[in-house]
Amino acid sequence: MNKPDFIPYAKQWIDEDDIQAVVDVLRGDFLTTGPAVAQFGDAVAEVAGTKYGVAICNGTAALHAAVAAAGVGPGDEVITSPITFVASANCALYVGATPVFADIDPRTYNIDPDDVERKITSRTKAIIPVHFTGQPCDMDQLRAIAQRHKLVLIADGAHAIGASYQGKPAGSFADMTTYSFHPVKQVATGEGGAIVTDNPDYYEKMLLFRSHGITRDPAKFRFGHQPWYYEQQTLGLNYRMTDFQAALGLSQLKKLPMFLQRRREYVHRYNEAFQNMPGIITPWQSPDGESAWHLYILRLRLEQLNVGRDQIFQELWDRGIGVNIHYIPVYYHAYYRDLGYAKGLCPQAEKLFEAMLTIPLYPAMKEAALERVIDTVLAVVKSHLR
Ligand SMILES: Cc1ncc(COP(=O)(O)O)c(C=O)c1O
């Protein structure tokens, strides 16, 4: 018998118009920063409901640029979630600051604002909540905490382009919100990212940071004036996005409403299929927000099963279902252990991590694949009910 096709947990959707958009740039004058880069930054800002957007080479660089613009530095602490990709915490280390982990809310898996407040010290400079799976964090409470303690609020929106909170784009609630356009995300540019903000000072700083700290604007020069002159004013990096990536991003953004609609439809199908199944808890959605549904995570009721999460993972994988784990708590990683972080910091996150299982979700998923995921998950879980 042939093995059934493997269904990945995520995959990009590329049409002919996306390909044409890239080819048009390749035939033009600019390969790296050209007009599409600025247009893409603006377009992301429009989706996010902010004044400014900076397109950048990836979501990690976006976080780095944001913490640098916020003035986070050596001796500072930055509070983030342990249930995230390592970049949300690593960005603090890049600028010499210390990541501090606050526990998660067991319903949304997003950072728990009460625990954020408990973890604030005189050294805390910023909070980096992550809109995990695309579901917006409790921005009302996080904003209030940030204001009360004079902290910069940087939302890691890598999962959340197109999400909304209280009827408005979720990207408009933090001082800065960062995005990733890696191919598993809703909008793909290969590698790619952006930061959005309403703050002109952060915006200017991030533009400089993206390109070595160099300005070419004569109005801003402190020293020279010659026609060939440019001036490095701060320490930045080469974090530029290319024009062909930005053109792909612009083309992809036009399809974002359709992508989100399909994701919502598939989520609805999963919820219907799994909500009454013993052994499984479907994702809980706060009425305050509308998720952009980057990931669909099943939580296993381990007390009802005769095996652990890893056995269920393996059996699904062996049947061609691209399951995944989002995420290993950041401070479990060897690098963080070497820095002195230890298990026990965030009990909710640690407990939930043992029970979480991501199943495939992407707009290009075919009906037959969706049905296969549903049938296989139900069969595997059923075979392990106590
Ligand atoms: C929550 C989160 N933050 C940041 C990133 C980093 O984005 P990139 O891979 O584009 O550098 C990712 C990417 O996986 C992510 O999931």
Side-chain angles (χ1 to χ4, degrees), residues 112-164:
D112 172 2
D114 292 333
D115 203 41
V116 169
E117 196 149 30
R118 279 192 286 274
K119 302 258 162 94
I120 290 173
T121 71
S122 58
R123 294 165 64 186
T124 309
K125 177 86 184 187
I127 315 171
I128 307 187
V130 181
H131 300 317
F132 179 64
T133 72
Q135 170 159 228
C137 295
D138 182 343
M139 296 308 284
D140 262 355
Q141 231 194 311
L142 288 166
R143 273 161 69 112
I145 291 169
Q147 267 166 19
R148 212 160 37 238
H149 298 272
K150 298 194 173 33
L151 306 175
V152 185
L153 189 58
I154 301 168
D156 182 342
H159 298 182
I161 185 85
S164 54

